[in-house]
Amino acid sequence: MGPLVACRRVPVMDVAPEGEFVSEVVAAPSQSDVPAGSGVGDAPFESVDEVVEALRGQGYIADTRLATTVYLLTRLDKPLLLEGPAGVGKTELAKMLALATGRRLLRLQCYEGQDETKALYEWDYGKQLMYTQILREKIGQVVADAPDLTSAVERIGEQDSVFFSERFLAPRPLLEAIRSPEPVVLLIDEVDRADEALEAVLLETLGEFQISVPEVGTFKAEKRPYVLLTSNNTRDLAAALKRRCLHLFLDYPAAARELEIVKSKKTGLSDALAEELVTVVRGLRELELRKAPSISETIDWARTLAVLGVDDLNAQVLSDTVSVVVKYDKDVKKALDALPRLVDPNAVIDEGHGHGHGHGHGHDGDHSHDEPAAPAPKPAPSTRPAASDDPDDGDVDGVAKRAGKDAPGRHGGIYGGLPGGTAPPPSQIRKVTPGQGSRSFGGSRKRPI
């Protein structure tokens, strides 16, 4: 006889007086009494290969690593945590496992700010209130001869188990999976979106396959469910949660397996075009996109092209339908730029856009498209000494050329020079004293108020 555990209160209507409940205490089975496997005495799969074939029969293509993990899930009575990018088949695995094993699927969809009552259970307050109104006369009889208010409250308090019983308990997915008389598959989807408080609530369920309800007792699973948790890695999960689970990281599959998945979905696209499409999608995943195309989106793209009757995969038709797999504006622009190269790696892409901005792209900087540009004016003749263009003129170090560039009056009639390009005489050159320079550039002058 194993240790005693608290169990749920059950009504004994033919023994106990009306409205009273008794607590039934049963002995927990010892380890030798619990059959190995899923808790129901029989395992659905005899080998890893049988898992592969069972999932394939439901349209889910699993590799050996994934099938091995699923086989251990059914044998070790441990939850399975699946992590990886969105759209790689984590949720779909739970659905197909339920179909392959003939179990009912229960799903808890997690979200930010989720209350644990939405995952465990709630009290049906509306039903409790309705029963209170119906039984108002009976309640009045219970407190009719009470000498004072305190005694009346105590008498009503003695009957609180009537209204906090399984009759008024509204189970949510976790409690429903534990209480289910038939084995189920419990999917806790996107657990990384929930708050850390929900992770703490899950620890008892995942570790002992039981849920404690303070007003009623502890519910322990008679037939343990297969539990799968999924995470898109939007945040790190607690170590205590991971410790209670088998773990598998699902990434995008290899090209051959992804092509096999697309073919298995019978999208209507020919095998040759499906192979080209998978190559294009894998090329898009190599871009720095905010969200890479998932396997399910690849299947949607294949179905889209089949509906359009596409028989030639070219850059134009892919550009027209790329929004099926790329969902953000900046990602669409990157995808449109890359599609011609992904369809034909030898294609020459014209990157010119017809405008000249003077950025060194071979543009002339002219934005006038209606009138031809006026010819540039000829430069005025310079009076500076002409330097020889002959590299063999003997001026190896360029001393003479630099001296010619420093000749006075080289700027002609501008920059303070006299007309005709001659330099002014020294008597007409005004000298600036150090004091004038400091007053001009030193910032000592005050601005007018």
Side-chain angles (χ1 to χ4, degrees):
M1 179 78 64
L4 296 179
V5 295
C7 225
R8 62 185 181 184
R9 298 176 181 177
V10 295
V12 188
M13 302 303 295
D14 56 340
V15 178
E18 182 180 359
E20 293 187 4
F21 288 79
V22 297
S23 298
E24 179 186 7
V25 181
V26 298
S30 62
Q31 293 295 329
S32 59
D33 297 329
V34 178
S38 62
V40 297
D42 55 344
F45 308 116
E46 297 296 333
S47 64
V48 174
D49 293 337
E50 191 173 337
V51 175
V52 174
E53 294 302 322
L55 294 178
R56 183 184 295 271
Q58 303 299 330
Y60 192 94
I61 310 301
D63 57 13
T64 304
R65 184 171 65 97
L66 176 57
T68 301
T69 308
V70 173
Y71 178 74
L72 295 176
L73 161 68
T74 64
R75 289 283 183 168
L76 299 180
D77 283 344
K78 290 182 70 68
L80 171 59
L81 172 60
L82 297 169
E83 292 190 287
V88 295
K90 302 185 296 295
T91 301
E92 192 71 11
L93 176 62
K95 297 178 181 179
M96 296 303 104
L97 179 61
L99 292 175
T101 58
R103 295 188 172 206
R104 183 165 61 106
L105 176 67
L106 295 176
R107 179 172 180 173
L108 172 63
Q109 182 65 51
C110 301
Y111 54 89
E112 185 177 356
Q114 186 175 23
D115 187 0
E116 62 270 15
T117 59
K118 301 297 183 182
L120 292 171
Y121 64 89
E122 288 182 296
W123 290 108
D124 193 339
Y125 295 111
K127 189 175 181 181
Q128 288 173 329
L129 181 60
M130 182 184 67
Y131 271 62
T132 302
Q133 297 297 325
I134 295 175
L135 300 175
R136 179 182 300 177
E137 182 179 350
K138 188 67 175 179
I139 297 174
Q141 295 176 4
V142 172
V143 300
D145 58 344
D148 50 35
L149 181 61
T150 303
S151 301
V153 172
E154 289 179 354
R155 289 187 182 184
I156 295 177
E158 293 174 355
Q159 308 297 327
D160 62 354
S161 59
V162 175
F163 295 98
F164 288 94
S165 60
E166 289 187 67
R167 185 188 304 274
F168 302 99
L169 195 62
R172 297 309 178 198
L174 295 184
L175 182 57
E176 188 175 355
I178 295 298
R179 293 178 58 193
S180 175
E182 299 296 331
V184 299
V185 173
L186 174 60
L187 169 61
I188 304 175
D189 208 12
E190 296 184 338
V191 66
D192 55 319
R193 294 186 180 275
D195 299 332
E196 288 82 355
L198 183 60
E199 289 188 39
V201 172
L202 291 173
L203 296 183
E204 180 185 13
T205 304
L206 301 180
E208 289 81 24
F209 288 93
Q210 68 180 30
I211 292 177
S212 298
V213 181
E215 298 87 350
V216 178
T218 298
F219 294 89
K220 194 173 183 66
E222 297 179 2
K223 298 181 179 180
R224 293 191 173 187
Y226 296 151
V227 183
L228 291 90
L229 302 90
T230 70
S231 169
N232 294 335
N233 289 332
T234 58
R235 68 173 178 86
D236 292 333
L237 300 178
L241 180 67
K242 289 191 173 184
R243 188 173 62 248
R244 286 165 170 78
C245 303
L246 300 172
H247 183 269
L248 181 65
F249 185 86
L250 277 184
D251 205 349
Y252 298 110
R257 180 165 167 258
E258 185 168 7
L259 178 59
E260 186 179 4
I261 293 173
V262 174
K263 291 180 179 179
S264 68
K265 298 303 179 180
K266 297 179 174 58
T267 60
L269 198 66
S270 65
D271 293 350
L273 293 184
E275 185 174 359
E276 293 182 29
L277 183 64
V278 168
T279 302
V280 170
V281 171
R282 296 179 67 83
L284 292 177
R285 289 185 188 135
E286 295 177 359
L287 303 177
E288 295 182 359
L289 302 180
R290 180 176 176 181
K291 179 190 175 300
S294 65
I295 301 176
S296 59
E297 289 168 333
T298 305
I299 297 171
D300 291 341
W301 206 1
R303 287 173 176 160
T304 300
L305 298 175
V307 168
L308 295 176
V310 173
D311 54 6
D312 179 26
L313 215 61
N314 53 61
Q316 182 62 47
V317 70
L318 293 180
S319 298
D320 293 341
T321 57
V322 72
S323 59
V324 175
V325 296
V326 182
K327 306 300 173 64
Y328 294 95
D329 182 56
K330 291 184 178 180
D331 289 354
V332 170
K333 293 178 181 178
K334 294 179 181 179
L336 292 177
D337 291 339
L339 280 176
R341 173 177 52 82
L342 295 176
V343 174
D344 183 7
N346 298 320
V348 178
I349 303 175
D350 184 11
E351 297 181 355
H353 48 74
H355 297 280
H357 297 285
H359 300 303
H361 302 299
H363 308 304
D364 56 3
D366 178 22
H367 289 267
S368 174
H369 299 284
D370 298 330
E371 298 181 1
K378 294 182 180 180
S382 175
T383 57
R384 64 181 180 181
S388 175
D389 296 330
D390 185 2
D392 298 327
D393 60 356
D395 188 7
V396 179
D397 297 329
V399 176
K401 295 183 178 62
R402 289 194 296 274
K405 293 180 180 180
D406 293 334
R410 61 189 182 279
H411 298 297
I414 57 175
Y415 298 111
L418 295 179
T422 59
S427 60
Q428 297 181 10
I429 299 177
R430 182 181 178 184
K431 296 183 180 179
V432 180
T433 63
Q436 290 174 326
S438 62
R439 289 193 298 273
S440 298
F441 303 102
S444 59
R445 289 185 295 180
K446 296 183 180 179
R447 295 182 178 181
I449 299 177

